Amino acid sequence: MNEDDDAPPESPAESLAMISRERDAVSRSMRLNPLAYYLPWGFAWLIGFGLLFLRYGPHGRVYVPMPGWLPLVVLVTLLAGAAISTIAMSAAKGRHVHGRSSWQGAAYGWTWFLAFSGVGSTLGRFTAYLPESERGLLWASVSVGVTAIMYLAGSAIWLSREMFVLGAWVTVVNIAGVAAGPGWHSLLVALGGGGGLILFGLAMWVRGRRR
């Protein structure tokens, strides 16, 4: 081993540079892979909502005959898989993190669970009074809206402009889908929401590679 490797820095500037390099290395090791994070969610929306559009199109039109339960089962299964993947990856990255960052990550993760639990219980109470087509639109639009809000809140927590842009985009897509009505909402969320998540993940990956 070279004795110079254990020698102290020769100047304060060198010490600061060493600290900066170590901080950058730790930051890179803790950063989530955007492809592993956003692509599972993007494909879940693209495929799941795409099947909903093909089975329950505008004005009740059926573009592709299939069992009525199939699109929802596929969507829920894909979303569950994406959630499990995200939780496992976040836990693996954050197991050595302590203090404020650990609390931020844990609180943000629990907020997702609590938000959807509260929304689910509320919607389950009142959707029985709506026509069947409007029930699906309500569940989908509120769920997508909560997701967008969580991205916007995450942008403030993690100081991420990119996450704010993503949350704002999902919000616009959701509003446009609600205005268009049942059927069209599924198509817009599949292409604009799911496709947007996939493109966002790819863009973040390319940006990270360039850095």
Side-chain angles (χ1 to χ4, degrees):
M1 179 180 295
N2 190 339
E3 294 182 357
D4 292 338
D5 293 339
D6 297 326
E10 297 180 356
S11 67
E14 186 176 345
S15 298
L16 291 175
M18 181 182 298
I19 293 172
S20 179
R21 289 194 299 269
E22 292 297 325
R23 184 185 297 115
D24 290 341
V26 172
S27 177
R28 286 192 300 270
S29 67
M30 297 304 302
R31 189 177 299 124
L32 295 178
N33 184 343
L35 294 181
Y37 183 81
Y38 290 106
L39 263 61
W41 291 102
F43 281 113
W45 283 23
L46 180 64
I47 297 172
F49 282 102
L51 289 177
L52 283 172
F53 169 75
L54 295 176
R55 177 58 178 82
Y56 300 102
H59 309 293
R61 181 174 179 179
V62 178
Y63 291 96
V64 177
M66 67 181 78
W69 51 266
L70 181 60
L72 185 59
V73 169
V74 171
L75 176 61
V76 171
T77 301
L78 292 175
L79 290 177
I84 293 172
S85 173
T86 300
I87 292 172
M89 181 173 56
S90 300
K93 287 288 185 179
R95 65 180 181 272
H96 299 303
V97 178
H98 304 283
R100 181 178 179 180
S101 296
S102 177
W103 162 247
Q104 284 178 316
Y108 187 64
W110 277 106
T111 300
W112 278 90
F113 172 76
L114 294 173
F116 276 98
S117 296
V119 165
S121 63
T122 302
L123 294 182
R125 175 66 177 81
F126 294 104
T127 50
Y129 300 100
L130 295 175
E132 185 173 354
S133 61
E134 298 295 333
R135 295 177 197 175
L137 177 61
L138 181 62
W139 275 96
S141 62
V142 172
S143 299
V144 173
V146 170
T147 300
I149 291 173
M150 290 301 301
Y151 283 138
L152 293 172
S155 73
I157 296 173
W158 312 117
L159 303 179
S160 171
R161 294 182 180 180
E162 293 82 4
M163 188 175 285
F164 181 87
V165 171
L166 178 60
W169 169 251
V170 173
T171 299
V172 171
V173 170
N174 193 42
I175 292 174
V178 172
W184 294 117
H185 181 268
S186 298
L187 178 63
L188 289 175
V189 172
L191 298 179
L197 285 168
I198 294 172
L199 292 177
F200 183 81
L202 290 172
M204 292 296 292
W205 179 77
V206 170
R207 182 178 179 181
R209 295 281 292 181
R210 288 178 178 176
R211 286 181 176 177

